[in-house]
Amino acid sequence: MSINPAIASVETERSNLKIPAHIGVIMDGNGRWAQKRGLSRMEGHKAGVEAVRRAVELSIDYGVDYLTLFAFSSENWRRPPDEIKYLFGLLRRFVASDLARLIRQNVRVRIIGDRASLESGLRSIIEDVEVKTAANTGLNLLIAFNYGAKSEITAAVRALAVKVASGELDPGSIDEIALGSHLSTAGLPDPDLILRTSGEMRLSNFLLWQSAYAELVFVEENWPDFDESVFVRALKAFTERDRRFGGIGT
Ligand code: IPE
Ligand code: IPE
Ligand code: MG
């Protein structure tokens, strides 16, 4: 049997990649992608949804267990009202158009962030997609929407304080596990890899507690240009990192 050497080397390259169990993505650069093309920022966000679909497909294909996508931050309220409205509409439309496919792909969807302050229509869409995919056992897709790590940690501290005040909890028993179990990611593994597109090198209030030991990878491409080659480049960078977790390595 003859093996096409080009295909064989792609396969070898792929089998040498370490696959993170949990990837967090700061999907940045939609506006700049659009601006470069003379399009509106909204067109950039629309193209960003296509990149979300590619990210989900690639995560399934490469065997990632958890994919967390940063879609709207608690600081994004500083944007013009029209853009905020458009981003909210996109989440709505994404759920409407993709729910059936996500179910077919065995994807479990959860939304993290402050949902209490979202309008009730959007809240019920969020609850609906979570309920309808709750029994799925494939990729865990977390969408961080109206999410900010500082307010997430603050809410966890407040919840612990309420338990202390009522006598339910002894302050001495508050440890990292107790705090972690009051975050929106309770019970989920911490991200191994945080990928940010568009060349910006900051976390912008994304998963600050959970990323304590994540490997950070920054790529120049804007989010709408995210594809398999960007994904594989990020996985290669991750594969080459020596994760020591404070120890002396292997
Ligand atoms: C990321 O793209 C999407 C969101 C933050 C909602 P941006 O809208 O931040 O794009 P740039 O950074 O302005 O290019
Ligand atoms: C981070 O991107 C938030 C999301 C990707 C949803 P931003 O574009 O809002 O971040 P900054 O303002 O450049 O830090
Ligand atoms: Mg941005």
Side-chain angles (χ1 to χ4, degrees), residues 7-26:
I7 293 176
S9 78
V10 168
E11 290 300 322
T12 315
E13 200 174 275
R14 187 165 162 165
S15 66
N16 288 336
L17 291 174
K18 278 189 199 152
I19 306 299
H22 185 173
I23 302 180
V25 185
I26 303 172

Side-chain angles (χ1 to χ4, degrees), residues 23-211:
I23 302 180
V25 185
I26 303 172
M27 310 186 287
D28 199 12
N30 292 351
R32 280 163 282 169
W33 180 91
Q35 197 181 18
K36 271 191 193 163
R37 288 162 178 76
L39 302 170
S40 71
R41 294 182 58 84
M42 316 302 163
E43 290 297 328
H45 294 314
K46 197 167 134 195
V49 176
E50 287 302 322
V52 165
R53 295 188 178 111
R54 290 194 289 278
V56 169
E57 297 264 354
L58 287 164
S59 297
I60 296 170
D61 188 19
Y62 281 73
V64 173
D65 296 327
Y66 292 83
L67 174 68
T68 301
L69 301 177
F70 201 8
F72 190 87
S73 79
S74 45
E75 287 72 35
N76 287 148
W77 289 102
R78 294 183 185 140
R79 296 189 179 206
D82 279 359
E83 181 167 346
I84 296 173
K85 212 168 142 199
Y86 188 82
L87 288 166
F88 278 52
L90 267 192
L91 177 65
R92 224 177 258 272
R93 292 207 295 281
F94 174 72
V95 172
S97 59
D98 286 53
L99 178 59
R101 189 159 36 87
L102 291 166
I103 293 172
R104 256 195 332 271
Q105 289 172 317
N106 198 21
V107 176
R108 177 170 183 182
V109 184
R110 273 169 279 198
I111 285 70
I112 59 168
D114 174 18
R115 70 176 70 179
S117 61
L118 299 176
E119 48 116 349
S120 66
L122 192 56
R123 227 167 37 230
S124 56
I125 286 171
I126 285 173
E127 280 154 18
D128 192 50
V129 67
E130 289 184 332
V131 168
K132 288 190 172 139
T133 63
N136 290 349
T137 55
L139 175 70
N140 287 281
L141 174 62
L142 306 183
I143 300 175
F145 197 90
N146 198 19
Y147 174 87
K150 283 190 169 187
S151 87
E152 175 189 42
I153 295 167
T154 306
V157 170
R158 196 181 305 119
L160 290 167
V162 167
K163 288 183 185 173
V164 168
S166 71
E168 191 191 323
L169 186 68
D170 167 16
S173 71
I174 297 176
D175 57 11
E176 291 176 13
I177 293 170
L179 203 148
S181 72
H182 286 76
L183 298 174
S184 59
T185 50
L188 310 176
D190 284 342
D192 304 288
L193 165 65
I194 299 285
L195 169 66
R196 182 170 189 149
T197 56
S198 86
E200 306 294 354
M201 296 192 202
R202 56 178 170 266
L203 291 172
S204 300
N205 205 10
F206 184 52
L207 299 178
L208 297 183
W209 173 276
Q210 299 88 337
S211 294

Side-chain angles (χ1 to χ4, degrees), residues 211-232:
S211 294
Y213 263 104
E215 295 299 329
L216 309 180
V217 174
F218 302 98
V219 296
E220 290 298 322
E221 284 82 357
N222 288 318
W223 177 247
D225 290 327
F226 174 84
D227 62 7
E228 186 164 9
S229 74
V230 176
F231 185 70
V232 169

